[in-house]
Amino acid sequence: MNAPTPTPREAAPRLRIGLLRLTDSAPVVTAYEFGFFAEEGVDVELVIEPSSANIADKLAFGALDAAAIAPPLAFAVQLGLRGVARPMVIPYSLGVGGVAITLAIDLARQVRARGERDDLDALPALAACLRGQPLTLGVAPTFSAHNLLFRYWLGSVGIEPGRDVKLVVVPPSRAVEALREKEIAGFCAGAPWGEVARRNGVGLAVAGTQQIWGHAPEKAFAMCAGWADRNPAAMAGVLRALHRSSRFCDNPENGAYIASLLSRRRYLNLGAHTILATLPGGAEAAHGCVFHRGAATFPWRSQGLWFLGQMRRWHLIDDSIDLATLAERVYRPDLYRAALSPVGASVPLADWKVEGAHATGWSLDALPAPMAMPADRFCDGAIFDPAAVPPLGESAMRIRARDDGHDAAR
């Protein structure tokens, strides 16, 4: 009797992920290096790119399947603003914070002196120093989260980009060089480049985007919708791998190991101590990254809608676009829940929440237990209620917040 022919093992789906040389790439790099992706049966290739523009173009033309990018850039690819329109999904957020406003040494000292003399916090002191100075400031490419956040703050204090200050696009990895060469007077960029400027004696961080919007989202894990549709099991496995990695990266006790990993030539190619300072528990943690705490990994549709509103404000997208429907199409908390609820992860009950309503810590309805959330105020005290942006339909929101004993159900 002939032996049965063995069934060939199905090849693991291949996923090409684009990354920038930034601290907030840590969850993806760690999941790859620790073998978390491989354990979930996904063959991942990491592709390090010099700029967000490179990543966007490769997503649009199919050279990448996923990327760690700012949410506005995922919307730009979805809408065809970077070439061919490529449907995208954001089933996972890679964290919050990690962005610093860094100025040339002399200007930074002016800001700090003004704050001490006039008893001003960092942002008001910065505004006082920027007024009347036709400065050139570097920002990451147009469709970055911190470009929109920086513009939001400037607008909130009456400083108009293009009239009162000049904003120029500078890739984060080149920002320190541009500051040294006096091409710019400062920059707003992701970690660790503010810390690199400080260690090189060319700049000092004076504020972070956390002060513009508390617990503000930064990078998202965006996937081409076609890949996610063709590989639903593998996509869920990728989210589980990232969830394991995000928790590891958020533990300050693991900072030295993560910094050593990211410092390799293949990744950030920087000193480990510089990177360590921008990790949870590091010396520059105030402007550093948060990878897991406070539902930092959940793809809130309300946050996607806020970014879309800012993109419209600055004439980056057409006024005719239905923002709420686009936010629902790209942000996919349903995929997050389906992948992570079975492994016991805490998952918010709502897809949307009111942004900017909490000056102190609060409690979020979630399963299997409520989640402790940090303050999320905007610098100008504004409150963004996505229910006021039509049409949201029945999916809009039910969220219960307990802030200083106040019960706000929506």
Side-chain angles (χ1 to χ4, degrees), residues 4-10:
T5 302
T7 302
R9 185 176 180 180
E10 185 177 347

Side-chain angles (χ1 to χ4, degrees), residues 146-349:
H146 34 294
N147 177 38
L148 295 179
L149 285 164
F150 194 41
R151 285 173 175 270
Y152 181 87
W153 170 71
L154 289 171
S156 75
V157 294
I159 297 175
E160 183 177 326
R163 182 193 68 189
D164 303 312
V165 296
K166 181 180 180 181
L167 299 184
V168 297
V169 172
V170 180
S173 59
R174 196 186 168 274
V176 176
E177 178 187 351
L179 193 60
R180 181 187 292 112
E181 298 299 320
K182 302 187 185 304
E183 298 171 11
I184 55 176
F187 61 84
C188 180
W193 297 106
E195 177 65 5
V196 172
R198 185 188 73 81
R199 289 175 181 258
N200 280 271
V202 299
L204 292 172
V206 296
T209 58
Q210 289 280 56
Q211 292 163 282
I212 299 173
W213 178 9
H215 211 57
E218 172 51 21
K219 289 293 188 303
F221 186 75
M223 307 180 76
C224 294
W227 194 97
D229 291 342
R230 291 190 303 272
N231 304 282
M235 183 274 302
V238 168
L239 302 193
R240 289 192 294 268
L242 288 173
H243 175 67
R244 291 175 64 188
S245 183
S246 295
R247 289 183 298 165
F248 182 89
C249 292
D250 216 33
N251 187 340
E253 294 181 1
N254 300 325
Y257 188 90
I258 298 165
S260 177
L261 188 62
L262 293 179
S263 71
R264 295 178 183 176
R265 180 179 297 274
R266 181 185 180 190
Y267 299 122
L268 272 64
N269 193 26
L270 293 170
H273 289 291
T274 300
I275 300 168
L276 179 62
T278 64
L279 290 170
E284 295 296 315
H287 305 315
C289 300
V290 174
F291 297 112
H292 185 259
R293 300 185 307 278
T297 64
F298 190 72
W300 289 104
R301 283 174 164 161
S302 47
Q303 295 177 349
L305 186 59
W306 187 88
F307 281 124
L308 284 169
Q310 294 302 305
M311 292 170 74
R312 173 175 286 175
R313 173 185 179 182
W314 298 106
H315 309 294
L316 301 178
I317 57 176
D318 192 274
D319 287 348
S320 65
I321 294 173
D322 182 339
L323 303 187
T325 298
L326 181 56
E328 288 185 319
R329 181 175 298 130
V330 175
Y331 271 69
R332 296 295 300 275
D334 56 315
L335 299 178
Y336 183 100
R337 288 193 187 90
L340 298 180
S341 292
V343 297
S346 292
V347 178
L349 297 181

Side-chain angles (χ1 to χ4, degrees), residues 14-63:
R14 187 167 184 78
L15 181 70
R16 298 161 297 180
I17 304 175
L19 296 176
L20 296 174
R21 298 183 188 276
L22 293 168
T23 301
D24 56 27
S25 66
V28 180
V29 171
T30 304
Y32 174 81
E33 293 287 348
F34 281 16
F36 295 164
F37 291 130
E39 289 178 17
E40 294 288 349
V42 184
D43 179 14
V44 164
E45 176 188 358
L46 300 186
V47 183
I48 313 303
E49 295 290 347
S51 69
S52 296
N54 280 48
I55 288 179
D57 292 344
K58 289 189 174 184
L59 285 170
F61 290 98

Side-chain angles (χ1 to χ4, degrees), residues 87-159:
M88 303 294 296
V89 294
I90 293 176
Y92 194 90
S93 176
L94 289 172
V96 303
V99 177
I101 301 170
T102 300
L103 301 178
I105 294 288
D106 290 346
L107 183 56
R109 288 173 177 161
Q110 287 181 38
V111 171
R112 292 183 176 184
R114 177 71 67 96
E116 292 172 0
R117 185 185 72 223
D118 299 338
D119 192 27
L120 295 175
D121 292 332
L123 287 178
L126 176 57
C129 287
L130 288 183
R131 290 193 182 96
Q133 298 195 54
L135 300 173
T136 298
L137 302 173
V139 294
T142 304
F143 298 107
S144 67
H146 34 294
N147 177 38
L148 295 179
L149 285 164
F150 194 41
R151 285 173 175 270
Y152 181 87
W153 170 71
L154 289 171
S156 75
V157 294
I159 297 175

